[in-house]
Amino acid sequence: MTGAAAPPGAAPVHGAGATQGATVVYRSDARRGAVWHAVFAEEAPEIALVDWSPEAAAEARYLVAWTPPERLAEAMPRLAVLFNTGAGIDHLPLAAIDDGIAIVRMVDPELTRSMVDYVLLAVLAQLRDLPDYLAAQRAGRWAPMPVRRAADHAVGILGLGVLGQAVAAALVGLGFPVRGWSASGRAVPGVQGFAGRQELPAFLAGCRSLVCLLPLTPDTRGILDAGLLAGLPAGAGLVNVGRGGHLVEADLVAALDAGHLASAVLDVLSEEPPPPGHPLFAHPRVIATPHVASMTHPATAARQVIRAVRRHRRGEPLENLVDRGRGY
């Protein structure tokens, strides 16, 4: 879901749009950028895509970046739209980005599909006791356990945005009872809904697996703490595919070591990569992956930006705009 800082230097220019004010500056992963250039060259000859350079940035109205350059207003005085290369925007220095600049986040079908796949993998691993079987295998023990049904394993989803709704639909399709929680309440077909902090305890009490798909905001930072984890039934599992900042890591270690939680599947940590000996990365009841649950597909992301630039140049409203007040 992320991109890397762009390498310095000039790059190919595709399209004749530079003279028409339709220049898009690309400041992200160079390997994925090759796909972006190919898509723009074939499908948007009227729009120039150029890799980051101070000269190109000074005149461009559009920027594609994981993180914008420092002193953005000076580097890009004509910037109108910043396209973030991920779904989340918690890494962006919003205070340093002028309010007049529209921020658009990626809503990519491929990103959504890969997130659904990952969460299904994690929930099924907890349903079928995979962490226990992996530990038994490492210890040389043959230890069969009772097989549980999906119908008896309720899954709770924290956050019912685009990703949360897609995950919920897939879980319902596999026969899991699904519970959904959001701050304001959102009705999702087939999902038992809960809203607001006052309904959080009732939501947690029925979850055998808890999946965090919340955006990271001041209100959600540290939400996965000792109090929340204690509200889950004994033997429940945690799946965090949101951000490392959602989780109080020491509280999860304590809940796992005390036996209150059976396992955790974590795709995000507070420090990435984690330092040697990180207590969760090395924990026997944790399956940890290096922030790979979902990534923006470069070709579909490029097409999303092409559509958005065309809409913006026609004076039409932009889709997937970030609400700065809400933080997503």
Side-chain angles (χ1 to χ4, degrees):
M1 287 194 333
T2 65
V13 176
H14 297 305
T19 60
Q20 303 168 3
T23 297
V24 177
V25 175
Y26 181 86
R27 188 179 190 267
S28 196
D29 180 79
R31 178 178 55 84
R32 294 160 66 84
V35 179
W36 281 71
H37 280 289
V39 172
F40 269 73
E42 181 176 352
E43 302 181 19
E46 81 281 11
I47 303 174
L49 179 69
V50 302
D51 285 349
W52 172 267
S53 73
E55 295 76 19
E59 297 299 323
R61 302 189 69 211
Y62 305 103
L63 172 65
V64 174
W66 172 244
T67 53
E70 293 183 4
R71 306 175 75 129
L72 178 61
E74 295 180 22
M76 301 192 72
R78 300 186 65 232
L79 181 63
V81 185
L82 167 61
F83 296 99
N84 180 44
T85 55
I89 55 95
D90 50 278
H91 61 285
L92 290 178
L94 294 180
I97 301 174
D98 188 88
D99 289 343
I101 297 171
I103 303 174
V104 175
R105 61 188 181 88
M106 290 295 166
V107 177
D108 177 0
E110 295 298 328
L111 183 152
T112 301
R113 188 170 295 112
S114 61
M115 178 62 79
V116 169
D117 290 346
Y118 186 96
V119 174
L120 292 181
L121 175 71
V123 170
L124 288 168
Q126 293 180 339
L127 170 70
R128 297 303 303 269
D129 300 301
L130 184 60
D132 290 298
Y133 285 125
L134 290 174
Q137 180 184 356
R138 286 191 291 265
R141 290 185 289 106
W142 188 263
M145 288 175 278
V147 174
R148 298 195 303 273
R149 305 183 309 155
D152 299 325
H153 190 95
V155 181
I157 301 175
L158 283 168
L160 292 173
V162 172
L163 295 177
Q165 291 180 59
V167 166
L171 288 165
V172 169
L174 289 180
F176 287 93
V178 179
R179 303 156 71 84
W181 181 89
S182 60
S184 57
R186 178 171 287 167
V188 178
V191 175
Q192 184 180 3
F194 298 82
R197 291 281 180 163
Q198 70 278 6
E199 295 187 6
L200 189 57
F203 162 77
L204 295 169
C207 298
R208 301 303 309 174
S209 286
L210 177 66
V211 180
C212 180
L213 274 163
L214 291 166
L216 184 60
T217 69
D219 288 338
T220 65
R221 182 174 293 277
I223 191 172
L224 303 175
D225 62 6
L228 182 144
L229 299 177
L232 292 168
L238 174 68
V239 179
N240 188 17
V241 284
R243 289 287 189 266
H246 288 124
L247 176 63
V248 180
E249 294 180 345
D251 291 354
L252 176 58
V253 171
L256 291 167
D257 289 347
H260 178 65
L261 293 188
S263 65
V265 179
L266 307 176
D267 186 53
V268 288
L269 294 168
S270 61
E271 186 176 351
E272 298 174 0
H278 187 285
L280 284 173
F281 196 65
H283 198 286
R285 306 200 70 78
V286 172
I287 297 173
T289 53
H291 209 144
V292 294
S294 65
M295 293 186 180
T296 304
H297 189 271
T300 54
R303 292 185 181 105
Q304 179 180 325
V305 171
I306 288 170
R307 289 193 302 271
V309 170
R310 286 171 173 164
R311 288 179 64 89
H312 187 263
R313 298 187 74 206
R314 291 194 299 262
E316 299 173 3
L318 289 169
E319 300 172 325
N320 307 317
L321 277 172
V322 168
D323 182 332
R324 293 174 186 246
R326 299 169 69 185
Y328 56 92

